[in-house]
Amino acid sequence: MSELSSRFDPSEIESKWYQHWLDQKYFESTPDERKAYSIVIPPPNVTGVLHMGHMLNNTIQDILIRRARQQGFNACWVPGTDHASIATEAKVVKMLREKGIKKSDLSREAFLDYAWQWKEEYGGIILKQLQKLGASCDWSKTSFTMDAVRSKGVLEVFVDLYNKGKLYRKERMVNWDPEAKTVLSNEEVIYGLEQSKLYKVKYQIEGTSDFITVATTRPETIPGDTALAVHPEDERYTHLKGKRVMVPLINRSVPIIFDEYVDREFGTGALKVTPAHDVNDFDLGEKHNLEVINVFNPDGTMSEAAKIYVGEDRFKVRKAFSKDLEEAGLLAEVQDYQNNVGRSERTNAIIEPRLSLQWYVDMKAICAPALQAVMEDDVEFFPKNQKNIYKHWMENIKDWCISRQLWWGHRIPAWFYGEEIFVATTAEEALAKAKAKYPDISLDDLKQDEDVLDTWFSSWLWPITVFNGFDDPKSLAYYYPTSVLVTGWDIIFLWVARMIMAGFEWTGKKPFDHVYFTGMVRDKQRRKMSKSLGNSPDALKLISDFGADGVRFGMLSCSPAGGDLLFDEKLCEQGRNFNNKLWNALRLIKGWEINDQKPASEADLLAISWIENKFAKLTSEIDGHFKEYRLSEALMTTYSFVWDDFCSWYLEMVKPEFGQAISKETCDATIAMFTKICSTLHPFMPFITEELWHQLGAEGDCILSAYPLSQVKDPQIIENVETLKNIISNVRDVRNKNGLKQRELLPLKAIKSANVEAILSVKGATTLLEQLAFVSEVEAVSEDIGNAVGFLIGTDKYFVVLSKEIDVESDLSEKKKELEYQIGFVNSVSKKLDNANFVAGAPVTVVEKERQKLSDGNERIKILTEEIAKLEALLAN
RNA sequence: GGGAGAUUAGCUCAGUUGGUUCAGAGCACCUCGUUUACACCGAGGGGGUCGGGGGUUCGAGCCCCUCAUCUCCCA
């Protein structure tokens, strides 16, 4: 007996095999004559740590890439990280603050030094963590969005867009993050209902002692009011035409304007207008030529223009104002209220609308081919329903604000000379352009834009730049378009849509053939996994508890495409148990003593042929699942094949009796089947399958073994064995119900029929019955024998002869139940067949089937009725 | 306000073109079992009016209408 432990210990083998794969350079890809299968990783934040979303996402990518590698493609999975402008800068600022250093005291260069140091120290931790999960990325191609190659591409694209007139600079209302002190794109603002208060504030009508009440959730913006608006048809306010009101506390006079924009139903039907701090108010202001008073500083404190509470934070001022208004008798009411509040995706700060000059990409100019490609399935989405969401967004696309008031990122390649702008990839080029117009100027006269580009402005080029696509057309031509993109649906606009646009704009091609949208990982209570809730399990701890293969199994077994994924550690436990099952199957096989003289028995040959056909069926099912990206179904199908068909049935069929040796032929066939199973499972559970592969003495490495795909050769054999299994289960059931020992030998009889004779004449069939059902003999007879419990297989009657008195009563009640069901069944079938419309309207084959069902049902009713009569007679005696 | 999706067993979900004895899987639960691969196991079992109502059809978990509830996206 081998020295293998009965518990599989993944920790021993995971690092061993990962290192082996690395040493053999199996993950590395160079272009050759094979077809490429490529995936680019959605780059995680360079300073991030592995969380459940990454685990899911990267497990799926690894499954796809490993399977493609086994299928003979030149598989290439490019890993990398994103510089994550806002998130990383925020972390560095925080780290510096803890050291007592303020960002504002540092020069741009000094700050960037710190940032790069930070990146060198913490960057890439997440990639190391991915290796623990088994990710088979081509690490020699590891990329970073701020690498020289990637950066060059970013700047070139900016210049190209500018030259094509698809990029412009404009002052408009933006989403301002007061914490990061930068503008954000619409896609980076997350809206949610929040509990707040609705303040009803009284504005005095100038020259009278009358008041008009206005409802607002943001009283701190009152100093910025430059008008009060009502609906022109609102009878409550028609008398106010031409009047003015006093802004409370500030005592500034502003006009009352009439505009149909005002919602008469909301609040009091009167609206305060603050053009500097609300998008709609800004539009109203433009229409009515109102003054714009910006009462906030970039950090969200009150500005000089506010005149009061200067320098105080806006939320403190809200409270203070409320008190002041109350004391002045100008606060009519305060209600609890729920409203939609926008927060920064990165800092979670409440967003302030703010008027500001920024760079924009003219999206309408570049989106058409990207929309078409998805609608025509040239870029195919899985699941499909994301197409509609995409379409809706693309058809209502807004220009993309790409400048950010940060230092960490790609600095905007635009140089100013007074009011004039020169856009070029380097300062020297910009100078050359400037000199054409102003021959006397020098580099010192040009001032580069202080802002950096939105992180996504480099991400949208990722599928091109990771292959150095702007400088190396050969590499791009080989790997691009990539095969599939695997990502969460939450970044369909931030990233996916923009990559498709960039692809068409700069390569003339789509960036990927397929997009597989994963679900969001949530906890059992359907809450999003988050740090603040503390409900996110530690990914590395999970791996050490259940093994990487166990965790991969757990992630996948609950992950329908696009749907939410309710994560439960129990699933990893199931994965671990599955590993253990495989491990023990290995122990069984390795424990066999082999006799190379003995030929395989008929029963063995039957078992082998059956499992081979079952396996062939499995491979084509899996193939179908993969084509539709039904990965969890592919895994679960394999799981039940391995556990039920291979372990519970096949191994029990061929397992020699205690102390006996197994024939070499049978053993070899078993090992061959087991290695094929390893190949099939490898993409899902790479570590254990590689270990088993070698323990089984198979050639080469599992990771490169051909991915099995074959056709069922003999469907009849599958059917025959299903019948045998059915008989065996019934015999076991009879034992269970009659409290008999599992191993006690009992005779099995069957009433002679064509079916019975056919199944019993299958070579090896009776041996299998004897072995697995522990029957002493199998015999076809012409009539019933006493003290036996019967069961039906189709319309055939089998019975087990018991060694002790049968429990007539319970057998009888069971048979009665069965009869009742059959009668109901036959009734519904005959009703169908009695319906002339059905017989005339349904296809012949369907009608035929119904007829067959009816006659089978009637046959069973007949048998059951006889059986019941006999049992009742027995009871009467 | 506009749009998308969902509702099937105690829980999480499959159910592909409307047609097999078709209402399924995993987990959970119950009974029995420590038989030499595995108790991280084995053998068996119970459990659902497919959200409500209506319609189309010979036939509906599946198609249509409607109502209810929930989730998400956009504004």
Side-chain angles (χ1 to χ4, degrees):
Chain A
M1 181 72 194
S2 58
E3 319 218 326
L4 303 176
S5 146
S6 72
R7 291 273 168 95
F8 171 61
D9 181 3
S11 62
E12 284 179 14
I13 61 145
E14 285 176 359
S15 50
K16 175 179 81 179
W17 290 118
Y18 201 82
Q19 193 55 50
H20 175 73
W21 296 327
L22 286 178
D23 292 344
Q24 299 295 316
K25 301 193 189 306
Y26 286 151
F27 304 161
E28 291 184 25
S29 162
T30 44
D32 57 24
E33 69 293 343
R34 288 175 298 165
K35 236 185 131 199
Y37 184 98
S38 53
I39 299 181
V40 295
I41 204 169
N45 291 358
V46 66
T47 60
V49 288
L50 196 66
H51 61 62
M52 299 308 287
H54 296 126
M55 301 258 282
L56 171 67
N57 194 259
N58 289 291
T59 297
I60 289 170
Q61 290 173 77
D62 197 42
I63 289 167
L64 296 172
I65 209 85
R66 280 179 186 271
R67 179 166 176 270
R69 195 179 289 122
Q70 287 181 265
Q71 287 175 316
F73 290 99
N74 186 342
C76 179
W77 182 13
V78 186
T81 48
D82 192 296
H83 65 282
S85 198
I86 296 181
T88 306
E89 179 151 333
K91 277 187 187 169
V92 174
V93 167
K94 188 172 165 236
M95 176 272 290
L96 289 172
R97 201 187 301 131
E98 280 160 8
K99 284 188 181 173
I101 305 171
K102 280 202 276 185
K103 182 189 165 191
S104 52
D105 292 342
L106 292 174
S107 70
R108 186 179 190 117
E109 287 67 31
F111 177 83
L112 287 177
D113 279 347
Y114 279 117
W116 277 105
Q117 269 175 36
W118 172 272
K119 183 255 170 190
E120 291 311 321
E121 198 174 337
Y122 297 100
I125 288 180
I126 193 161
L127 299 180
K128 285 265 173 304
Q129 294 177 321
L130 283 179
Q131 300 192 342
K132 289 250 178 284
L133 190 65
S136 61
C137 304
D138 182 351
W139 301 105
S140 72
K141 292 191 174 60
T142 304
S143 304
F144 177 51
T145 47
M146 273 169 72
D147 286 341
V149 171
R150 260 59 68 186
S151 298
K152 186 163 164 279
V154 168
L155 301 187
E156 283 172 5
V157 156
F158 185 95
V159 173
D160 183 54
L161 279 176
Y162 183 79
N163 291 340
K164 289 195 259 188
K166 294 174 177 177
L167 195 65
Y168 64 91
R169 206 161 169 251
K170 190 179 178 184
E171 182 168 59
R172 58 161 70 120
M173 270 287 169
V174 297
N175 305 297
W176 186 262
D177 177 340
E179 196 173 312
K181 298 192 210 50
T182 178
V183 65
L184 298 178
S185 69
N186 293 333
E187 287 72 26
E188 290 166 299
V189 181
I190 314 282
Y191 291 91
L193 276 183
E194 294 192 20
Q195 208 48 248
S196 62
K197 286 188 163 42
L198 189 65
Y199 299 84
K200 298 205 171 154
V201 183
K202 290 156 77 178
Y203 286 57
Q204 186 169 21
I205 298 163
E206 204 177 18
T208 73
S209 52
D210 290 342
F211 290 88
I212 177 166
T213 303
V214 169
T216 177
T217 55
R218 303 173 64 206
E220 68 278 11
T221 63
I222 286 175
D225 289 353
T226 53
L228 196 141
V230 294
H231 196 279
E233 283 155 31
D234 194 331
E235 287 171 4
R236 290 172 292 182
Y237 302 119
T238 43
H239 64 286
L240 296 176
K241 220 163 216 139
K243 293 271 166 64
R244 298 174 70 88
V245 294
M246 299 302 289
V247 177
L249 302 179
I250 307 294
N251 287 322
R252 181 158 41 77
S253 155
V254 299
I256 295 175
I257 59 172
F258 292 77
D259 197 289
E260 282 168 5
Y261 163 75
V262 180
D263 178 1
R264 275 175 282 185
E265 307 301 319
F266 183 83
T268 58
L271 179 76
K272 72 189 210 52
V273 185
T274 323
H277 299 291
D278 184 278
V279 183
N280 297 313
D281 289 13
F282 180 75
D283 293 342
L284 267 182
E286 287 218 307
K287 194 168 158 191
H288 295 270
N289 277 322
L290 299 177
E291 198 188 341
V292 177
I293 304 174
N294 187 341
V295 298
F296 295 149
N297 291 314
D299 63 355
T301 58
M302 304 303 280
S303 70
E304 292 289 338
K307 298 231 164 42
I308 49 175
Y309 293 111
V310 174
E312 298 277 345
D313 181 77
R314 64 201 196 285
F315 295 117
K316 278 190 190 155
V317 173
R318 180 180 294 179
K319 280 187 189 149
F321 252 54
S322 157
K323 216 172 133 204
D324 294 348
L325 286 167
E326 198 172 357
E327 281 166 9
L330 296 173
L331 189 61
E333 199 188 346
V334 181
Q335 291 176 349
D336 283 327
Y337 187 68
Q338 265 205 335
N339 65 337
N340 230 350
V341 176
R343 287 179 178 271
S344 163
E345 182 201 34
R346 299 291 182 184
T347 65
N348 204 36
I350 291 181
I351 295 304
E352 290 296 337
R354 188 168 203 262
L355 194 62
S356 149
L357 181 62
Q358 306 287 344
W359 287 95
Y360 292 87
V361 177
D362 180 355
M363 299 301 265
K364 288 213 165 59
I366 62 171
C367 71
L371 174 59
Q372 192 188 353
V374 171
M375 293 328 286
E376 291 174 356
D377 289 332
D378 184 26
V379 174
E380 204 174 345
F381 282 6
F382 297 87
K384 281 233 177 328
N385 62 17
Q386 296 291 335
K387 260 171 85 171
N388 287 327
I389 297 170
Y390 177 87
K391 176 169 183 253
H392 190 257
W393 187 77
M394 289 293 268
E395 285 175 347
N396 297 283
I397 198 159
K398 303 265 181 356
D399 286 352
W400 176 15
C401 176
I402 54 167
S403 41
R404 295 291 182 275
Q405 287 64 54
L406 300 165
W407 284 346
W408 177 246
H410 302 97
R411 189 164 175 183
I412 292 178
W415 281 262
F416 299 99
Y417 178 67
E419 289 294 294
E420 267 196 89
I421 303 173
F422 298 97
V423 171
T425 50
T426 63
E428 290 69 31
E429 272 180 53
L431 181 64
K433 281 188 178 172
K435 275 198 165 168
K437 206 165 176 187
Y438 307 100
D440 298 333
I441 64 169
S442 71
L443 213 49
D444 292 340
D445 299 318
L446 292 180
K447 203 166 158 291
Q448 189 178 358
D449 195 313
E450 290 294 330
D451 293 349
V452 299
L453 289 162
D454 179 10
T455 298
W456 299 101
F457 196 84
S458 56
S459 315
W460 76 329
L461 305 174
W462 187 247
I464 304 171
T465 56
V466 294
F467 299 115
N468 195 7
F470 289 109
D471 290 331
D472 181 359
K474 261 188 163 166
S475 170
L476 193 73
Y478 186 71
Y479 291 114
Y480 184 101
T482 61
S483 307
V484 58
L485 176 79
V486 179
T487 188
W489 49 257
D490 53 331
I491 52 176
I492 183 170
F493 309 134
L494 278 168
W495 195 41
V496 180
R498 289 171 182 164
M499 274 192 287
I500 302 175
M501 289 187 248
F504 283 107
E505 186 71 18
W506 288 290
T507 70
K509 287 188 208 161
K510 61 187 172 178
F512 24 71
D513 297 330
H514 296 163
V515 182
Y516 176 85
F517 290 102
T518 65
M520 298 286 105
V521 183
R522 293 169 191 276
D523 68 7
K524 272 185 284 183
Q525 291 145 52
R526 239 173 235 290
R527 297 175 307 178
K528 233 177 172 166
M529 296 257 176
S530 77
K531 263 192 219 154
S532 51
L533 278 172
N535 60 347
S536 181
D538 177 343
L540 293 179
K541 184 167 183 302
L542 280 177
I543 291 178
S544 79
D545 286 352
F546 300 106
D549 290 330
V551 175
R552 289 167 69 112
F553 182 101
M555 295 304 309
L556 205 69
S557 61
C558 59
S559 65
D564 282 348
L565 184 157
L566 275 61
F567 184 77
D568 185 346
E569 270 195 25
K570 268 245 138 68
L571 295 162
C572 294
E573 205 175 302
Q574 199 189 340
R576 180 202 60 190
N577 294 353
F578 186 37
N579 280 320
N580 202 51
K581 187 75 183 173
L582 285 161
W583 183 248
N584 277 288
L586 172 76
R587 287 180 67 225
L588 173 70
I589 293 169
K590 290 201 75 156
W592 283 339
E593 191 191 322
I594 298 165
N595 180 343
D596 37 10
Q597 308 303 314
K598 194 165 96 176
S601 69
E602 282 181 345
D604 285 354
L605 292 175
L606 177 59
I608 291 165
S609 175
W610 170 69
I611 197 75
E612 281 171 354
N613 278 287
K614 270 299 251 206
F615 179 75
K617 193 170 165 217
L618 170 76
T619 61
S620 39
E621 278 171 16
I622 290 175
D623 196 52
H625 289 319
F626 266 105
K627 284 202 174 100
E628 295 296 320
Y629 289 89
R630 293 191 297 246
L631 303 193
S632 67
E633 282 185 61
L635 176 59
M636 289 318 284
T637 313
T638 315
Y639 172 85
S640 62
F641 172 82
V642 171
W643 201 297
D644 301 334
D645 293 328
F646 185 68
C647 292
S648 296
W649 287 103
Y650 173 77
L651 289 179
E652 294 300 328
M653 288 174 185
V654 298
K655 189 163 142 185
E657 269 182 67
F658 184 63
Q660 299 288 306
I662 192 165
S663 78
K664 185 163 188 311
E665 193 183 350
T666 307
C667 186
D668 287 349
T670 305
I671 288 172
M673 177 49 58
F674 205 175
T675 57
K676 278 192 215 160
I677 288 171
C678 287
S679 297
T680 305
L681 271 176
H682 180 80
F684 300 98
M685 307 198 301
F687 295 109
I688 190 171
T689 48
E690 191 68 81
E691 174 71 15
L692 295 171
W693 184 268
H694 289 267
Q695 290 277 358
L696 289 166
E699 292 278 311
D701 288 312
C702 187
I703 185 175
L704 291 188
S705 65
Y707 203 74
L709 176 59
S710 50
Q711 299 296 316
V712 174
K713 290 197 188 76
D714 187 354
Q716 186 59 45
I717 213 158
I718 293 180
E719 217 170 288
N720 287 344
V721 173
E722 283 317 307
T723 306
L724 292 174
K725 283 165 64 181
N726 200 352
I727 297 169
I728 292 163
S729 295
N730 273 286
V731 174
R732 286 171 177 169
D733 189 31
V734 169
R735 278 180 207 280
N736 247 328
K737 294 225 165 87
N738 289 281
L740 291 169
K741 282 254 182 308
Q742 202 148 51
R743 302 198 143 222
E744 187 181 337
L745 293 180
L746 301 168
L748 174 69
K749 313 274 177 184
I751 300 289
K752 230 176 230 174
S753 78
N755 286 334
V756 167
E757 288 186 67
I759 192 74
L760 295 185
S761 68
V762 170
K763 281 187 179 162
T766 51
T767 316
L768 283 186
L769 289 174
E770 287 163 10
Q771 211 171 308
L772 296 182
F774 293 101
V775 296
S776 52
E777 57 172 318
V778 187
E779 193 189 2
V781 296
S782 41
E783 59 185 52
D784 282 13
I785 289 179
N787 203 45
V789 179
F791 55 86
L792 285 170
I793 303 289
T795 54
D796 295 311
K797 192 182 157 193
Y798 287 76
F799 46 96
V800 181
V801 184
L802 299 194
S803 52
K804 65 172 207 184
E805 285 296 304
I806 63 167
D807 183 346
V808 177
E809 255 175 85
S810 77
D811 197 18
L812 183 61
S813 86
E814 209 165 295
K815 293 270 163 12
K816 279 184 171 166
K817 239 161 83 185
E818 174 70 15
L819 179 65
E820 204 177 317
Y821 173 81
Q822 292 296 343
I823 289 172
F825 171 70
V826 163
N827 278 346
S828 85
V829 177
S830 9
K831 222 163 101 188
K832 239 191 232 179
L833 284 167
D834 287 347
N835 184 337
N837 286 332
F838 170 70
V839 179
V844 183
T845 51
V846 173
V847 178
E848 248 342 282
K849 271 178 194 162
E850 292 298 315
R851 293 226 163 93
Q852 186 63 44
K853 282 198 233 169
L854 183 65
S855 81
D856 285 359
N858 280 327
E859 179 66 20
R860 280 192 294 270
I861 287 173
K862 194 183 130 217
I863 297 171
L864 284 166
T865 313
E866 287 168 11
E867 192 86 349
I868 287 166
K870 264 183 221 159
L871 288 166
E872 275 172 340
L874 265 178
L875 212 54
N877 289 336

